[in-house]
Amino acid sequence: MLDLAAPGARLVFSSGWHITRDGQDVYPLSVKWKVAVLGQLGKLARAVDLDDQVEACARVFASDTRWTVVRGSELEEGESQGMPVWSAHVGDPILASNITRRVDFALFMVAALENDELIHQAPAIVGRRAPSALAHAAEAGTPAGHRRLSQA
């Protein structure tokens, strides 16, 4: 995409939490385990190669295009709970629940296209009604949590 994008194009990519932009992410043991074990199984089965995703994101991060890499938590089916909340680093308490509705992940991706706040960012997201997001909202005294996108 980077090579074929028109000058000035707005690009939004998705990945899992295993991608890090600045090395400051702190991964839960469950994510480390999945990357190590399932990553190797995926590579052996020639189904997925996480090293390719890491390399692709490194190219995106080094690019001067108008990019955003949305790093998704575990996904679940179900009705929308609204726009997910995000943080710059995996390991931040708001993300501890590690769950987002699939439809809300898509909602965030589409909203990111029009949100200049997210240009050259790699937000890690979690569902706005996930227990960790609700706990953070209660601590902050806000109804919808930290670092949210508005639903235009």
Side-chain angles (χ1 to χ4, degrees):
M1 290 300 300
L2 290 174
D3 296 337
L4 301 175
R10 179 71 172 95
L11 304 175
V12 177
F13 301 95
S14 67
S15 75
W17 276 1
H18 65 284
I19 298 297
T20 186
R21 179 171 178 224
D22 58 13
Q24 294 185 27
D25 298 287
V26 178
Y27 297 102
L29 189 55
S30 62
V31 171
K32 290 178 183 180
W33 181 86
K34 285 179 183 180
V35 168
V37 175
L38 298 179
Q40 287 300 323
L41 291 175
K43 187 183 274 189
L44 287 172
R46 296 183 187 242
V48 65
D49 188 342
L50 297 182
D51 293 338
D52 288 346
Q53 292 181 21
V54 171
E55 183 178 332
C57 283
R59 287 192 63 213
V60 171
F61 297 153
S63 167
D64 60 357
T65 60
R66 295 169 10 117
W67 57 264
T68 299
V69 175
V70 179
R71 300 181 296 150
S73 59
E74 297 290 324
L75 299 177
E76 69 178 355
E77 300 301 328
E79 291 187 29
S80 176
Q81 296 178 336
M83 188 66 67
V85 295
W86 67 278
S87 188
H89 296 106
V90 174
D92 288 350
I94 194 169
L95 302 173
S97 297
N98 188 18
I99 195 74
T100 305
R101 296 279 167 96
R102 188 174 305 275
V103 66
D104 296 334
F105 181 85
L107 183 66
F108 192 96
M109 294 281 294
V110 171
L113 283 168
E114 297 179 348
N115 188 321
D116 289 348
E117 174 187 4
L118 293 176
I119 292 174
H120 296 156
Q121 296 293 321
I125 67 171
V126 71
R128 74 181 301 120
R129 300 227 182 268
S132 59
L134 293 173
H136 188 275
E139 287 175 18
T142 61
H146 152 95
R147 287 199 167 173
R148 64 176 203 216
L149 295 180
S150 61
Q151 287 179 273

